[in-house]
Amino acid sequence: MNLQLNNTIIVVTGAAKGIGAGIAEALAAEGAIPVIIGRNEKDNQVLVDKLTAQGYQAAQVVAELTNPAACTAAIQEVADKFGRIDGVVNNAGVNDGVGLESGSYELFIESLHKNLVHYYLIAKAALPYLKASKGSIVNIGSKTAETGQGNTSGYAASNGGRNALTREWAVELLPYGIRVNAVIVAECFTPLYQKWIATLPNPDEKLKAIEAKIPLGNRMTTAAEIAAMVAFLLSPVSSHTTGQLIHVDGGYVHLDRAL
């Protein structure tokens, strides 16, 4: 299937590694030009170099997304360089373990800025360009908004906000033909996930126990599988899909785990 993404300019936040990198790679393979926005120039450039070495196009912008002015400046830099923006993937974030009992007001607000506020800021800054291109927004979310996890109030609240903003923006942006959807991730083996599980007692046993509860195939979702759905949702091929929270999780959230 031709996703009709050739030469489109797609902003992807937090795309240097993990799920974001998988998204950038999938978009580049479809002929799009992913523009990575992230705080670490070296990490960003590693992926850009990898993609260009494969004959694809890609670019990067360095920005600390917890800084509102940096979000606006990053989008302006993309627009100045390419003259257009056809899509936005809000992906950057971290499951930072800011709980209720263990957290504080300051840490909770900091978590919201790491995980939610920049979703709004990036979309806000990109909106004039998305209106011009009738582009699309895809927000990456987490199961924690629906299932809970324990000791991660900031991250769970942020993901609840991501889900709510997806539906709210889908309604608000209808007049402009801008579609807004979310891809919800459950268990995907990213570098951050690997770092987290390494902190647990008997990490190999824990990983096997988690995989055993994933109904489809008893395995983790791959970044490439997340990325394929994101590319589809950004594409004109999904032209009548908006306001959807799509779980790419092997049935983890909604199927009976007793299976």
Side-chain angles (χ1 to χ4, degrees):
M1 179 182 293
N2 179 5
L3 294 184
Q4 303 171 37
L5 290 172
N6 199 45
N7 291 321
T8 54
I9 308 302
I10 312 292
V11 168
V12 188
T13 67
K17 298 178 181 179
I19 291 170
I23 292 168
E25 289 171 355
L27 291 172
E30 290 293 333
I33 304 174
V35 183
I36 300 162
I37 298 181
R39 69 164 67 95
N40 190 308
E41 182 176 7
K42 181 179 179 180
D43 288 347
N44 295 346
Q45 193 60 44
V46 166
L47 182 56
V48 170
D49 291 344
K50 176 183 176 181
L51 294 174
T52 54
Q54 295 172 350
Y56 302 132
Q57 298 183 74
Q60 67 139 324
V61 174
V62 179
E64 172 51 64
L65 295 172
T66 59
N67 181 335
C71 291
T72 303
I75 292 297
Q76 190 60 54
E77 185 173 338
V78 176
D80 288 346
K81 180 177 179 61
F82 293 101
R84 59 184 292 129
I85 296 175
D86 301 290
V88 167
V89 181
N90 280 314
N91 165 76
V94 58
N95 192 338
D96 48 12
V98 178
L100 179 60
E101 185 175 9
S102 62
S104 66
Y105 166 79
E106 290 79 11
L107 289 173
F108 181 74
I109 295 301
E110 183 179 317
S111 184
L112 295 183
H113 277 276
K114 288 179 181 176
N115 292 298
L116 177 63
V117 176
H118 62 78
Y119 274 46
Y120 176 88
L121 294 171
I122 290 292
K124 174 72 171 176
L127 184 56
Y129 306 102
L130 294 174
K131 287 166 67 175
S133 64
K134 292 190 176 181
S136 297
I137 299 172
V138 177
N139 295 322
I140 304 301
S142 163
K143 67 178 174 65
T144 56
E146 299 168 83
T147 65
Q149 179 178 301
N151 200 41
T152 189
S153 294
Y155 188 65
S158 294
N159 278 286
R162 293 173 182 179
N163 291 355
L165 288 178
T166 298
R167 292 263 163 81
E168 169 63 17
W169 294 347
V171 173
E172 181 177 343
L173 301 181
L174 285 172
Y176 307 115
I178 297 172
R179 298 179 300 105
V180 187
N181 294 285
V183 173
I184 311 303
V185 182
E187 305 298 330
C188 183
F189 201 71
T190 64
L192 282 175
Y193 196 102
Q194 185 174 19
K195 183 178 179 180
W196 166 74
I197 207 160
T199 66
L200 304 177
N202 303 311
D204 290 341
E205 291 181 18
K206 181 63 175 177
L207 180 59
K208 289 178 182 178
I210 292 170
E211 289 176 331
K213 294 180 180 179
I214 301 171
L216 186 59
N218 302 125
R219 66 169 178 82
M220 300 287 244
T221 307
T222 67
E225 289 167 328
I226 303 294
M229 180 58 73
V230 172
F232 172 72
L233 292 172
L234 289 167
S235 164
V237 173
S238 62
S239 57
H240 213 230
T241 302
T242 195
Q244 301 304 305
L245 310 179
I246 299 177
H247 294 70
V248 181
D249 66 355
Y252 186 89
V253 171
H254 292 102
L255 299 186
D256 188 342
R257 294 193 204 171
L259 296 168

